[in-house]
Amino acid sequence: MVYIAAEESVVEMIGKYFFQHKAPGRGSSSARRGSVESCDDKDGSWPSADADAGLEEEQRLLHQDLTRQIECCLTEAKPSVLRCQVLLLPRNMITSVGNHILRSAADEPCGFRGASIRLYVESQDGLKSAGNIVPDQAVTPTFELSVVFKMEKEDGWHIFDSGKVLKLRPEYRLVKRKLYSSASPVIHDFS
């Protein structure tokens, strides 16, 4: 605990503290102390740049893992639920879906770890479940995200039949439902 003498003001105490505990390699000019220029990151000793880089790397890894899991779910759904041999996706669609999922999770209490993600493919007969993703099994989900992929219409809907080639449209729907609230689900349509 620090005690302040009666003749010493709080401002003087703070000034002395910063003067005595300046960062290594910084100039000792008290006139420049506290200015924006004194907080440059030329020597890399400030942790904020490393923390920002670490967060970006973590987000990149989360996104990479999420897109891989989405691809796995769709691949596993081809022979069983979708009953097709080939599933064609628009370029960068899974990357875009992953970005939107991570953005939707950003304002949640547990973030992405609290998600329960359900994948669907919309067909003529309704929705077909293409898989589920739970990012962290140790966390009770706080929200549910349903991703609804839409099939391309070519001379009507493709019939789910073995040997068929199915193509997804670039449009998809993301439905977010908070599990801890009675609020209505939020629906986003993307193209």
Side-chain angles (χ1 to χ4, degrees):
M1 180 165 220
V2 177
Y3 295 99
I4 301 172
E7 64 270 3
E8 212 175 353
S9 75
V10 174
V11 174
E12 290 172 342
M13 184 191 76
I14 292 171
K16 287 179 183 177
Y17 176 82
F18 282 115
F19 183 73
Q20 292 171 355
H21 296 92
K22 64 183 181 200
R26 306 278 188 223
S28 62
S29 169
S30 62
R32 299 297 299 166
R33 195 174 54 240
S35 73
V36 173
E37 293 172 8
S38 69
C39 294
D40 63 345
D41 191 25
K42 291 178 185 170
D43 64 357
S45 64
W46 290 89
S48 63
D50 293 336
D52 288 345
L55 285 175
E56 288 175 11
E57 178 67 10
E58 182 180 346
Q59 282 294 102
R60 187 186 67 74
L61 292 173
L62 275 176
H63 184 267
Q64 185 178 21
D65 187 53
L66 175 60
T67 56
R68 182 191 56 76
Q69 289 182 58
I70 293 171
E71 288 172 354
C72 286
C73 285
L74 291 173
T75 300
E76 290 173 8
K78 283 189 324 186
S80 57
V81 176
L82 302 177
R83 290 185 271 149
C84 68
Q85 288 182 342
V86 178
L87 181 64
L88 301 175
L89 304 171
R91 185 182 218 69
N92 297 322
M93 180 181 200
I94 301 299
T95 301
S96 177
V97 170
N99 286 333
H100 289 126
I101 288 173
L102 290 175
R103 280 191 209 121
S104 292
D107 62 346
E108 289 299 319
C110 296
F112 179 64
R113 294 175 51 231
S116 173
I117 303 165
R118 304 193 186 289
L119 306 176
Y120 298 95
V121 175
E122 185 178 37
S123 73
Q124 179 181 8
D125 302 327
L127 295 179
K128 304 263 185 193
S129 178
N132 298 316
I133 299 170
V134 178
D136 190 341
Q137 298 287 334
V139 176
T140 301
T142 58
F143 68 104
E144 180 180 275
L145 287 171
S146 297
V147 181
V148 181
F149 297 103
K150 300 177 181 189
M151 290 180 39
E152 185 73 48
K153 290 182 185 178
E154 291 181 27
D155 300 325
W157 288 91
H158 283 281
I159 298 171
F160 288 94
D161 190 11
S162 60
K164 291 285 186 180
V165 174
L166 298 179
K167 184 177 180 182
L168 298 182
R169 295 189 339 221
E171 299 86 24
Y172 59 93
R173 175 173 285 166
L174 186 63
V175 181
K176 180 178 179 181
R177 186 172 65 97
K178 295 185 180 202
L179 301 176
Y180 56 87
S181 169
S182 61
S184 297
V186 178
I187 301 171
H188 296 283
D189 288 310
F190 298 101
S191 56

